[in-house]
Amino acid sequence: LTFAACQLANEQGKSDIENGLEQIGLQNVAEEIPGVEVYMVYATPYNFMGRVLYDGLDEAYLVPEAMEKLRKANELLRKKRMDLHLVVYDAARPRSIQQQMWKVVENTDLQDFVANPNKSGGGAHNYGIAVDVTLVDCTGHPIPMGSEYDYFGDRSRVDLETQLIETGEINQRELKNRQLLREIMTE
């Protein structure tokens, strides 16, 4: 996705970026899936960059196929756990933002956690086919997963969960929460 950040809102309350995303066929998660909360972390300073990155983008957008999969995951979650719901932290991401993120992690041990925008057209977020989600309880608080959003360390790696349990870095409850999220998103 290539578009310039702009803070100007139109008559419908959407920014030029959001209108641009809709014009190329992406859909607004909050409008399409009732009950899914949207809290765009990069529209706040509470992210690994420590500053607002999404100036003019505070809604989550996905391509229709990804939207449908998220809708199905939401329905599955509601059937399994009525006390939980999904919150979206990130979805379609401008390539210009991806480049800013990459500059911070390039040539560091953190570069595994951010897609290189110069390889294969960037990451899946740049095409509106990726979504960062977690589970929140009925009070709106994220349930424990063993690491925070944007945590760039081993505790965020799903391939190390057995080791993380053995070393006590995550507990059984956090593992079960991860497994539930992975199950509904995979199914």
Side-chain angles (χ1 to χ4, degrees):
L1 302 172
T2 56
F3 41 85
C6 181
Q7 295 180 12
L8 300 176
N10 66 11
E11 313 79 57
Q12 299 155 348
K14 294 185 180 180
S15 70
D16 288 348
I17 290 175
E18 292 166 338
N19 282 325
L21 290 171
E22 289 181 359
Q23 286 175 0
I24 61 172
L26 275 69
Q27 299 173 329
N28 182 316
V29 171
E31 292 174 1
E32 296 291 324
I33 311 175
V36 171
E37 185 179 335
V38 174
Y39 176 72
M40 297 293 283
V41 173
Y42 298 117
T44 76
Y46 308 110
N47 58 68
F48 82 97
M49 298 283 286
R51 62 185 173 83
V52 173
L53 294 170
Y54 290 176
D55 199 8
L57 177 62
D58 59 1
E59 296 289 337
Y61 286 84
L62 293 170
V63 298
E65 295 85 356
M67 185 71 72
E68 190 54 36
K69 290 176 186 270
L70 184 62
R71 182 187 329 279
K72 287 179 182 175
N74 185 55
E75 290 168 2
L76 231 134
L77 176 62
R78 300 302 294 163
K79 288 178 185 171
K80 291 180 186 241
R81 294 283 305 269
M82 288 293 292
D83 60 322
L84 300 176
H85 64 274
L86 292 170
V87 62
V88 173
Y89 287 148
D90 196 20
R93 178 184 303 150
R95 284 185 53 105
S96 60
I97 303 302
Q98 190 72 31
Q99 290 166 339
Q100 290 177 45
M101 291 175 169
W102 181 249
K103 283 181 185 177
V104 169
V105 301
E106 187 176 19
N107 299 319
T108 73
D109 58 351
L110 304 179
Q111 69 182 24
D112 286 351
F113 296 95
V114 176
N116 182 341
N118 305 313
K119 288 187 180 177
S120 305
H125 282 288
N126 302 130
Y127 298 94
I129 59 174
V131 61
D132 294 349
V133 297
T134 197
L135 301 172
V136 295
D137 64 22
C138 58
T139 66
H141 293 94
I143 64 174
M145 295 286 183
S147 67
E148 300 297 322
Y149 182 79
D150 261 1
Y151 177 77
F152 292 174
D154 285 346
R155 280 187 291 129
S156 67
R157 296 186 183 276
V158 297
D159 60 327
L160 298 178
E161 287 174 338
T162 302
Q163 177 185 331
L164 295 169
I165 287 287
E166 290 171 358
T167 61
E169 291 184 63
I170 66 170
N171 61 42
Q172 284 295 326
R173 179 178 176 213
E174 293 163 340
L175 177 62
K176 287 183 191 261
N177 292 341
R178 289 174 176 217
Q179 290 169 334
L180 173 61
L181 179 58
R182 203 164 36 247
E183 178 184 322
I184 64 156
M185 294 303 288
T186 302
E187 201 171 312

